[in-house]
Amino acid sequence: MKLAYITREFPFAYLGETFLGPEARLLRAYCDEVHVIAARPRLRTSAFGNIGTVDVRIASFSLRTLVCAAAEAVQHPFSAALAFRRLVGPSYAGAAKMKNIALFPKSLAVARYLREEQIDHIHAHWMTTPTTIAYVASMMTGIPWSCTAHAHDIFADNLLPEKAASARLVRVISDSNCRRLNELTGNRYTSRTHVVHIGVELPESLCTPSEDKTLRILSPARLHPIKGHAELLEGL
């Protein structure tokens, strides 16, 4: 199986989405190929080294992206027109709509790449622009797709019902956000919406607990105010 794995920035960024590294490596063990495509790549090369994936950098705005998008639209004009109408037609957040329109050429370029590489399935993280790219690419190519919903992206008002209706599977990383996603989509897609928590890689062996009484804290989060380290320390 050849999988396209669409992210926000991973692996073309140093910070954010580091939790996707273990998942991408695990998927590589079960798939023949995993092609990772970032919606907004920040770096020119992967910040995670060689993890066995095919890291595809398609610029959001470049002459090459526009040429590929134009070729896809010319070869499949009716699909392109339908996909664009489904982005601009529904009523949803204006900021999200502008981002989707801006990324429409890239979505067509991604569709062309997936077609050429004979990708079997698309999976996208975040119910924002990464799923927009997957949504459009699936409409263009007929390749089935699925997605992972996290937290704030559920409330971004970015074609949430339309994407849930189109995707074969909607994975949500927590029970509470799964309930909220189902509420926001009128509980119409509960049969295809499932909770699968984000995993972590464990070392092969664990350290022996220390005999002293020193308090040690393990907090698996990047050092950023939104992660609440200050509140954790204050609470302790």
Side-chain angles (χ1 to χ4, degrees):
M1 179 181 181
K2 298 178 71 172
L3 175 71
Y5 192 68
I6 301 180
T7 68
R8 184 174 56 199
E9 299 174 348
F10 174 86
F12 300 102
Y14 289 114
L15 296 175
E17 295 185 312
T18 54
F19 54 86
L20 295 186
E23 184 166 299
R25 281 191 288 269
L26 182 63
L27 287 171
R28 179 63 187 88
Y30 289 92
C31 299
D32 297 318
E33 294 178 11
V34 177
H35 295 242
V36 184
I37 303 171
R40 301 194 300 271
R42 294 182 180 273
L43 304 175
R44 300 203 64 82
T45 58
S46 171
F48 291 78
N50 183 13
I51 60 174
T53 56
V54 180
D55 302 327
V56 184
R57 190 184 190 283
I58 299 175
S60 300
F61 309 101
S62 71
L63 179 60
R64 182 178 181 182
T65 297
L66 290 175
V67 169
C68 291
E72 180 72 8
V74 168
Q75 292 182 3
H76 307 279
F78 296 109
S79 295
L82 176 63
F84 187 75
R85 188 176 70 181
R86 288 183 176 175
L87 288 190
V88 301
S91 176
Y92 61 104
K97 183 174 289 190
M98 294 302 296
K99 290 178 183 178
N100 289 343
I101 292 173
L103 281 177
F104 185 68
K106 174 165 181 168
S107 301
L108 295 183
V110 169
R112 185 171 182 81
Y113 175 84
L114 302 185
R115 194 192 306 277
E116 291 175 348
E117 293 296 323
Q118 298 182 323
I119 297 296
D120 298 303
H121 187 84
I122 308 166
H123 186 81
H125 271 269
W126 311 98
M127 300 301 290
T128 48
T129 49
T131 47
T132 296
I133 293 173
Y135 181 47
V136 171
S138 178
M139 282 189 280
M140 293 298 300
T141 63
I143 300 172
W145 74 288
S146 56
C147 57
T148 295
H150 289 256
H152 66 85
D153 52 315
I154 296 173
F155 305 98
D157 189 21
N158 191 333
L159 294 172
L160 186 68
E162 290 80 2
K163 291 173 179 177
S166 173
R168 296 284 183 90
L169 169 74
V170 179
R171 167 206 182 185
V172 192
I173 67 167
S174 70
D175 293 307
S176 60
N177 283 340
C178 185
R179 289 192 297 271
R180 290 166 181 167
L181 186 147
N182 284 327
E183 290 170 1
L184 290 171
T185 56
N187 291 305
R188 293 190 297 272
Y189 312 109
T190 55
S191 62
R192 71 183 70 168
T193 305
H194 303 276
V195 176
V196 181
H197 301 294
I198 294 288
V200 296
E201 289 181 310
L202 296 177
E204 294 182 0
S205 61
L206 301 178
C207 297
T208 303
S210 174
E211 294 293 335
D212 62 37
K213 301 300 182 180
T214 303
L215 176 64
R216 292 177 173 84
I217 304 169
L218 172 64
S219 180
R222 60 191 170 98
L223 197 60
H224 189 284
I226 65 172
K227 299 302 181 181
H229 295 96
E231 287 76 10
L232 170 65
L233 294 173
E234 183 180 356
L236 288 169

